[in-house]
């Protein structure tokens, strides 16, 4: 890519805004509501209580400040879902409406198209968090009389972590979108694979325990911890990863992973055959891996549910796993063929 | 100038384009015809850089469109069905084109807007196919193209607009030296506008020739005789078709027209003249001669 191509393209960024303004506006609204607006609201309430002499409520109010911190997991999950939706729609809708045909007939390279999608997503993230963090910084600074349960540095740390984790989520969804041909596929696959490490670890543990193959709880805990560590979205959902590991390394790793995902997305998108738009997968070569993955995951998920009422022998259990796995393999195969014909 | 070199395009197992080699000179109009499913749209999308070629390359003014998409800043594209962002209004699409193409001409846009008079506040999703085509022509001519690639550009237009669009396109070539590559089923339109014509069948270019050359190479001779022409004469390989009504023979001849005429003079004709064939007739005879089913080409 030439140096000039690194400049944002005004037309492409404007187009992204026009196509995703509803999702983007919701995202801006929610983050602003749970951060700046809530803080301001709580400060006003706190002052009102202080003026009316109800000082016994003041301690409670200070600890309730920044509502999103008290409901961190829910708010974080909400923002993660918004980022997934944003990235899934940015690519999926272009495929669905065949507007990549329009765009790629214009003097834009594929690299430039994807680059500006990344720029738009990260620009939005940065704008929302920097703006709200600045507002919160000012609010805290102009209210020295309130004993806040957090300082200005905490607010900036919250913003940095959110931007890095949500940036990773956005990049990961674009990466998945370079392999999937529909908006729904982009979103669902990104959601599944983002939570895949902890999900798969949990499935393995459930199945291993169900089949009485492992009774060592320390190994189970260790497996779960590894699963959590590899599940990036949980970093802003109450995980202790920033306390357990050096935050600088975690930030660095997140940043590097996002860059790697960006390069992979560029690599795959450059090889996208636009005639495959609308299919479940853009690359027929990964179909086998995908079907096998679905079959294994659903076998691990569904088989213990099917067998939980009785204690099957190992032979019966294997049969059930195989039947469920093959059923889901056939199902996903059917869906892929149906989309291809459509 | 458009140059297509050894272009192949596969859709999985099937070969949509096979070893296409074409050259469209600057300032000329090249017409591409072919039956449904021949690969016209695939070829056009590959020329425009939308589809990736399996092999070969497409050069516009000597630059590979897939390697260097900036060459498309002077290339206009009117698709068979123009896909626009459904949430956009007409004015938004105009803005996108205006911001994208560096040679965009406000003057040309204003001039063409008066002709097409499209509602700028209208949502793209509510535009009819004809209106989409009009908008595409308006946008792609306003970007001041050096090359225009058109896939069924008059489909969905009423006869008046159809004629108007064709006149505008011919004017583009005459006035600005624009190179035009046009795929259509409308052979009568090609006859009025094109310099060169190529035929695509099952992903292969069967031939491409100048219209003039094509009309010279295949002609209909009408001749009247007192008697009958000998069977062996009528079975000559260059004679594609013979019809007889009373004393008048209509003979379609390819390539050796003068030779056949000279020989006919030996049979002392009462009348002998050769007539231009329409493009539609030429294609039917050429394709028939090649043993191809041709019904799909003529709409």
């Amino acid at each position: 890519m030439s140096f000039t191509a690194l400049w944002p393209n005004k037309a492409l960024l404007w187009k992204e805004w026009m196509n995703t303004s509803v999702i983007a506006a919701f995202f801006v609204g929610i983050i602003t509501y749970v951060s700046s607006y809530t803080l301001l609201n709580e400060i006003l309430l706190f002052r009102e209580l202080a003026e009316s002499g109800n000082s016994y409520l003041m301690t409670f109010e200070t600890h309730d400040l920044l509502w999103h911190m008290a409901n961190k997991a829910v708010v974080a999950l909400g923002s993660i879902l918004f980022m997934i939706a944003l990235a899934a729609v940015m690519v999926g809708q272009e495929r669905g409406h065949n507007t990549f045909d329009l765009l790629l007939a214009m003097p834009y390279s594929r690299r430039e198209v994807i680059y500006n999608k990344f720029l738009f997503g990260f620009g939005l993230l940065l704008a929302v968090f920097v703006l709200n963090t600045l507002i919160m910084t000012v609010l805290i600074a102009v209210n020295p009389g309130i004993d806040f349960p957090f300082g200005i540095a905490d607010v900036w740390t919250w913003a940095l972590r959110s931007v890095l984790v949500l940036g990773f989520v956005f990049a990961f969804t674009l990466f998945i979108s370079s392999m999937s041909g529909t908006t729904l596929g982009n979103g669902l696959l990104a959601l599944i694979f983002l939570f895949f490490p902890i999900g798969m670890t949990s499935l393995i543990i459930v199945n291993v325990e169900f089949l009485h193959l492992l009774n060592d709880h320390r190994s189970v805990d260790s497996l779960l911890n590894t699963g959590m560590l590899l599940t990036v979205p949980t970093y802003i959902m109450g995980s202790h990863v920033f306390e357990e590991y050096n935050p600088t390394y975690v930030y660095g790793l997140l940043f590097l992973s996002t860059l790697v995902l960006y390069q992979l997305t560029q690599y795959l998108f450059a090889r996208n055959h636009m005639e495959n738009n609308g299919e479940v997968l853009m690359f027929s070569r990964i179909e086998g891996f995908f079907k096998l993955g679905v079959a294994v995951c659903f076998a691990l998920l569904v088989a213990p549910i099917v067998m939980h009422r009785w204690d099957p022998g190992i032979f019966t259990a294997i049969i059930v796993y195989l039947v469920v796995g093959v059923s889901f393999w056939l199902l996903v195969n059917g869906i892929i063929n149906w989309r291809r014909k459509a | 100038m458009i140059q297509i070199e050894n272009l192949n395009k596969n859709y999985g197992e099937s070969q949509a384009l096979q070893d296409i080699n074409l050259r469209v000179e600057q300032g000329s109009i090249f017409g591409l015809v072919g039956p449904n499913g021949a690969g016209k749209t695939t070829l056009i999308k590959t020329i425009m850089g939308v589809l990736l070629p399996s092999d070969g390359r497409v050069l516009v003014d000597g630059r590979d469109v897939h390697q260097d998409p900036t060459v498309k800043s002077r290339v206009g594209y009117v698709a068979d069905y123009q896909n626009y962002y459904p949430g956009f209004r007409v004015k938004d699409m105009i803005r996108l084109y205006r911001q994208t193409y560096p040679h965009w001409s406000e003057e040309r846009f204003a001039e063409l807007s008066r002709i097409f008079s499209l509602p700028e506040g209208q949502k793209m999703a509510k535009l009819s196919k004809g209106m989409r085509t009009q908008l595409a022509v308006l946008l792609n001519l306003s970007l001041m193209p050096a090359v225009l690639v058109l896939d069924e550009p008059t489909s969905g237009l009423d006869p008046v607009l159809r004629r108007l669009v064709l006149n505008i396109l011919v004017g583009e070539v005459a006035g600005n030296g624009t190179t035009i590559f046009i795929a259509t089923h409308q052979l009568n339109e090609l006859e009025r506008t094109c310099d060169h014509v190529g035929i695509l069948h099952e992903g292969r270019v069967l031939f491409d020739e100048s219209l003039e050359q094509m009309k010279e190479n295949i002609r209909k001779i009408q001749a009247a005789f007192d008697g009958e022409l000998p069977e062996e004469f009528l079975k000559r390989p260059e004679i594609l078709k013979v019809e007889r009504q009373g004393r008048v023979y209509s003979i379609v001849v390819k390539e050796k027209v003068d030779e056949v005429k000279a020989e006919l003079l030996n049979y002392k004709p009462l009348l002998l003249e050769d007539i231009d064939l329409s493009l539609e007739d030429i294609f039917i005879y050429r394709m028939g001669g090649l043993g191809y089913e041709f019904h799909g080409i003529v709409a």
Side-chain angles (χ1 to χ4, degrees):
Chain A
M1 187 191 263
S2 70
F3 183 73
T4 48
L6 288 172
W7 289 106
N9 184 294
K10 201 174 145 193
L12 289 176
L13 291 178
W14 173 79
K15 171 195 69 81
E16 297 302 349
W17 168 250
M18 290 290 289
N19 284 331
T20 57
S21 51
V22 175
I23 297 175
F26 259 107
F27 182 67
V28 172
I30 284 193
I31 297 297
T32 307
Y33 177 76
V34 300
S35 56
S36 303
Y37 174 80
T38 307
L39 181 62
L40 177 66
N41 205 29
E42 296 287 348
I43 288 170
L44 292 175
L45 186 64
F46 180 86
R47 282 186 166 180
E48 204 178 302
L49 286 170
E51 279 166 17
S52 65
N54 294 319
S55 54
Y56 66 96
L57 288 169
M58 284 161 70
T59 311
F60 170 73
E61 290 303 331
T62 52
H63 284 283
D64 205 31
L65 282 171
L66 208 56
W67 174 77
H68 82 273
M69 290 219 169
N71 296 277
K72 198 151 69 175
V74 177
V75 173
L77 183 62
S79 3
I80 287 161
L81 292 178
F82 266 110
M83 285 322 281
I84 292 175
L86 181 71
V89 164
M90 280 169 83
V91 177
Q93 291 296 298
E94 301 257 24
R95 293 198 198 282
H97 295 128
N98 284 323
T99 43
F100 271 137
D101 285 17
L102 175 79
L103 217 50
L104 296 176
M106 288 178 158
Y108 298 124
S109 64
R110 289 175 176 230
R111 182 163 272 273
E112 204 173 358
V113 169
I114 289 297
Y115 176 66
N116 281 280
K117 286 189 185 294
F118 266 87
L119 276 189
F120 179 80
F122 281 95
L124 180 72
L125 257 181
L126 277 175
V128 172
F129 279 96
V130 169
L131 182 73
N132 279 296
T133 310
L134 283 173
I135 294 171
M136 287 156 72
T137 303
V138 171
L139 287 176
I140 293 170
V142 298
N143 287 285
I146 300 176
D147 181 21
F148 288 95
F150 49 81
I152 289 172
D154 297 323
V155 175
W156 282 94
T157 305
W158 162 76
L160 176 67
R161 289 177 182 180
S162 299
V163 167
L164 282 171
V165 171
L166 293 175
F168 175 89
V169 168
F170 179 75
F172 188 84
T173 311
L174 280 188
F175 163 68
I176 292 289
S177 305
S178 67
M179 291 185 282
S180 161
T182 64
T183 308
L184 189 65
N186 298 345
L188 278 179
L189 290 175
L191 191 62
I192 289 169
F193 282 104
L194 277 167
F195 289 92
F196 182 78
I198 188 65
M200 193 63 186
T201 311
S202 307
L203 277 180
I204 290 170
I205 291 169
V206 166
N207 282 273
V208 162
E209 284 182 343
F210 179 76
L211 297 170
H212 312 296
L213 296 174
L214 183 71
N215 293 312
D216 177 5
H217 288 288
R218 273 188 303 182
S219 303
V220 169
D221 287 346
S222 163
L223 265 175
L224 276 175
N225 283 340
T226 312
M228 284 294 274
L229 187 63
L230 293 173
T231 310
V232 175
T234 62
Y235 292 10
I236 54 167
M237 294 174 67
S239 143
H240 297 289
V241 71
F242 288 109
E243 280 87 59
E244 286 171 25
Y245 298 90
N246 184 338
T248 313
Y249 291 145
V250 182
Y251 297 151
L253 207 59
L254 279 174
F255 185 70
L256 271 178
S257 311
T258 304
L259 282 182
V260 169
L261 285 170
Y262 166 73
Q263 284 302 340
L264 284 173
T265 306
Q266 288 285 18
Y267 177 83
L268 291 169
F269 189 70
R271 282 152 187 80
N272 265 197
H273 288 280
M274 291 303 154
E275 61 270 26
N276 296 341
N277 284 342
E279 291 191 19
V280 176
L281 296 171
M282 293 298 288
F283 299 97
S284 52
R285 283 182 192 174
I286 55 172
E287 258 182 44
F289 170 75
F290 178 71
K291 288 177 203 168
L292 182 71
V294 171
V296 170
C297 290
F298 276 93
L300 290 175
L301 179 69
V302 176
I305 297 172
V306 172
M307 295 183 285
H308 81 283
R309 285 190 180 277
W310 84 96
D311 190 10
I314 191 74
F315 181 71
T316 315
I318 288 170
I319 300 268
V320 173
Y321 279 112
L322 281 175
V323 168
V324 175
V326 169
S327 305
F328 275 93
W329 189 93
L330 290 172
L331 180 69
V332 77
N333 191 48
I335 292 172
I336 287 174
N337 288 335
W338 165 65
R339 288 302 308 171
R340 187 165 290 148
K341 281 175 192 160
Chain B
M1 188 187 73
I2 305 171
Q3 206 172 335
I4 301 169
E5 295 176 352
N6 309 317
L7 190 71
N8 286 279
K9 174 71 189 168
N10 301 334
Y11 289 140
E13 298 289 299
S14 71
Q15 223 178 341
L17 298 175
Q18 298 181 49
D19 210 25
I20 308 279
N21 286 284
L22 282 176
R23 188 184 168 93
V24 184
E25 296 300 334
Q26 190 176 345
S28 66
I29 304 184
F30 183 93
L32 183 74
V33 290
N36 293 327
K40 297 190 297 295
T41 300
T42 299
L43 177 58
I44 280 186
K45 284 188 175 181
T46 314
I47 291 173
M48 288 310 302
V50 176
L51 298 180
L52 297 171
S54 304
D55 198 12
R57 59 183 189 157
V58 178
L59 306 174
V60 170
D61 292 336
R63 289 150 72 191
D64 190 326
V65 291
H66 293 94
Q67 302 294 328
D68 181 8
T70 54
V71 70
K72 288 184 279 184
S73 62
R74 296 294 301 269
V75 180
Y77 170 48
V78 177
D80 180 17
Y81 184 84
Q82 207 69 34
N83 295 300
Y84 292 117
Y85 294 101
F88 275 33
R89 293 178 190 279
V90 170
K91 61 182 175 191
D92 299 323
M93 279 314 302
I94 295 168
R95 182 174 168 177
L96 181 64
Y97 269 73
R98 189 180 274 139
Q99 288 183 338
T100 297
Y101 290 95
H103 304 285
W104 176 270
S105 162
E106 289 300 338
E107 199 182 322
R108 168 74 71 88
F109 174 71
E111 186 189 318
L112 291 167
S113 294
R114 278 194 293 276
I115 298 172
F116 291 114
S117 63
L118 288 157
E120 291 201 6
Q122 183 80 280
K123 279 257 188 188
M124 299 308 306
K126 293 194 172 165
L127 289 188
S128 66
K129 190 183 180 197
M131 287 172 102
R132 281 170 177 263
T133 307
Q134 287 179 58
L135 178 62
V137 172
L138 167 68
L139 294 172
N140 285 284
L141 288 178
S142 300
L143 64 88
M144 302 304 283
V147 173
L148 252 179
V149 179
L150 311 147
D151 191 358
E152 299 285 356
T154 57
S155 66
L157 298 181
D158 62 53
V160 177
L161 269 174
R162 186 177 287 191
R163 176 66 64 95
L164 183 68
V165 167
L166 289 173
N167 287 343
I168 291 172
L169 293 179
V170 173
E172 270 294 306
V173 178
N176 303 323
T178 307
T179 308
I180 296 183
F181 187 99
I182 178 169
T184 182
H185 279 103
Q186 307 293 334
L187 296 178
N188 55 340
E189 285 177 2
L190 285 187
E191 194 164 6
R192 286 208 304 270
T193 51
C194 291
D195 310 306
H196 261 75
V197 177
I199 185 155
L200 192 71
H201 187 74
E202 292 177 352
R204 288 175 202 266
V205 174
L206 297 181
F207 57 85
D208 73 295
E209 286 173 353
S210 74
L211 203 59
E212 206 177 310
Q213 197 181 357
M214 207 174 265
K215 289 201 165 188
E216 265 175 29
N217 285 346
I218 185 161
R219 298 183 73 78
K220 183 187 264 186
I221 299 171
Q222 280 197 325
F225 300 94
D226 273 334
E228 285 189 4
L229 286 172
E231 275 298 307
E232 58 271 26
F233 171 79
L234 296 174
K235 283 183 179 165
R236 290 171 65 124
E238 58 271 22
I239 293 179
L240 298 177
K241 191 175 181 187
V242 179
E243 277 176 358
R244 188 182 171 191
Q245 278 195 322
R247 292 193 293 177
V248 180
Y249 281 86
S250 296
I251 305 165
V252 179
V253 185
K254 69 167 183 184
E255 286 157 12
K256 295 174 180 171
V257 180
D258 289 338
E259 204 179 295
V260 172
K261 269 170 78 178
E263 200 163 326
L264 280 171
L265 284 172
N266 298 333
Y267 299 105
K268 302 204 170 32
L270 303 170
L271 164 83
L272 180 70
E273 59 177 1
D274 62 315
I275 307 164
D276 268 357
L277 282 170
S278 68
L279 188 58
E280 195 169 309
D281 287 335
I282 292 173
F283 277 127
I284 290 169
Y285 293 127
R286 286 293 293 259
M287 294 297 288
L290 291 165
Y292 283 93
E293 285 293 329
F294 190 59
H295 306 296
I297 296 176
V298 186

